Amino acid sequence: MCAVATATSSLAETPSAPLGLAVIISGRGSNMLAIARACQAGAVNARVLRVIADRDSAAGIAVAQSLGLETAVIPARSFPDKPAFETALAREIDASGASLVVLAGFMRILSPEFTARYEGRMLNIHPSLLPAYKGLHTHERVLAAGDASHGVTVHFVTAELDGGPLLLQARIAVKPGDTAETLSARIQQREHIIYPQVIHWIASGRLRWQDGGPWLDGKALQQPVLLEEEAS
Ligand code: GRF
């Protein structure tokens, strides 16, 4: 009896293995950096196994290398078509051993075949309060519409562009005199908080993909968790 009890308790105390991440970028990679730092600091029980860019010019690759992360560039332009590029991208992701694919400023529309392959294990971050303002130039569109607030969303990726189940959003107020640049800067600050947060939820088992949708803390997530701006 005693031996069994000891074995059980030591099992319960064994920390689970870090969640392996493949982070896919096209640009500067500030979200990738925030995620990698959160992992390295132990705030998120995950590890960036590989940072993959779709273009040589992605500045985030040098940033990842400076952190000692493994990197790869799969230049989309050098492939004859999208299926060939996506096959190479999937090969790179799978070779990394990652369990979760993190799109972080990846500027390409993925095919339904690709999104189905990573169903429930691929995240994206989009700079709007989805479902509002799917697509590009969200800050400019928010300003043109005269909206009082704006925000950013982390969601699971499905075949519909910026359309997968919403997980966590952060809202900010649009202030008089705001420009696309000032909005972008404040949105990015929030991005660097909420993206590691969602990965932490998954790494700690709080958030799962089950029965075709997200479940948080044992309940189907019907609408995203909303993080309001702290009063300043
Ligand atoms: C972010 O604003 C994100 O919302 C969008 O692309 C941008 C990437 O920024 N999908 P970075 O490369 O992580 O700095």
Side-chain angles (χ1 to χ4, degrees), residues 9 25 54-55 67 74 87 96 103 125 133 146 172 182:
S9 66
I25 64 170
D54 65 339
R55 57 195 77 179
L67 294 175
I74 313 279
T87 299
S96 76
L103 304 182
I125 189 159
Y133 304 113
I172 64 164
T182 59

Side-chain angles (χ1 to χ4, degrees), residues 25-33 103-107 124-128 139 152-153 184 187-188 191-192:
I25 64 170
S26 296
R28 68 188 150 185
S30 72
N31 279 282
M32 176 276 298
L33 178 61
L103 304 182
F106 179 66
M107 300 304 289
N124 184 41
I125 189 159
H126 180 76
S128 78
H139 313 310
V152 55
T153 305
S184 167
I187 288 286
Q188 281 238 298
E191 292 185 344
H192 299 163

Side-chain angles (χ1 to χ4, degrees), residues 47 60 74 95 105 108 111 116 193 198 201 205 229:
R47 222 178 114 207
I74 313 279
R108 235 160 247 288
S111 70
I193 295 167
V198 170
W201 284 349
E229 197 168 24

Side-chain angles (χ1 to χ4, degrees), residues 37-229:
R37 281 190 173 147
C39 295
Q40 286 175 349
V44 177
N45 186 24
R47 222 178 114 207
V48 178
L49 298 178
R50 202 159 302 180
V51 176
I52 306 169
D54 65 339
R55 57 195 77 179
D56 298 313
S57 59
I61 286 294
V63 176
Q65 285 168 347
S66 73
L67 294 175
L69 300 175
E70 263 191 56
T71 61
V73 178
I74 313 279
R77 283 195 185 162
S78 68
F79 291 86
D81 53 25
K82 186 165 171 148
F85 165 69
E86 289 189 343
T87 299
L89 181 59
R91 195 175 297 136
E92 191 68 40
I93 292 168
D94 296 347
S96 76
S99 307
L100 184 69
V101 181
V102 179
L103 304 182
F106 179 66
M107 300 304 289
R108 235 160 247 288
I109 296 175
L110 295 164
S111 70
E113 292 73 27
F114 192 91
T115 56
R117 179 186 183 111
Y118 296 103
E119 186 190 55
R121 48 195 189 104
M122 181 156 60
L123 298 175
N124 184 41
I125 189 159
H126 180 76
S128 78
L129 292 172
L130 289 172
Y133 304 113
K134 296 177 179 180
L136 297 173
H137 308 302
T138 59
H139 313 310
E140 289 84 349
R141 288 155 66 203
V142 162
L143 288 170
D147 292 354
S149 62
H150 185 24
V152 55
T153 305
V154 176
H155 64 96
F156 275 119
V157 177
T158 60
E160 189 195 340
L161 178 68
D162 300 327
L166 312 180
L167 303 170
L168 179 58
Q169 297 185 313
R171 178 153 55 196
I172 64 164
V174 178
K175 298 178 183 167
D178 260 331
T179 62
E181 289 70 35
T182 59
L183 283 179
S184 167
R186 293 212 303 288
I187 288 286
Q188 281 238 298
Q189 288 173 354
R190 311 303 282 164
E191 292 185 344
H192 299 163
I193 295 167
I194 70 169
Y195 220 171
Q197 175 71 58
V198 170
I199 295 167
H200 171 65
W201 284 349
I202 296 174
S204 62
R206 287 185 59 191
L207 177 65
R208 317 171 174 273
W209 183 267
Q210 200 179 305
D211 305 328
W215 287 60
L216 181 64
D217 296 331
K219 289 187 199 130
L221 187 64
Q222 308 288 1
Q223 53 185 26
V225 176
L226 179 63
L227 206 64
E228 292 288 1
E229 197 168 24

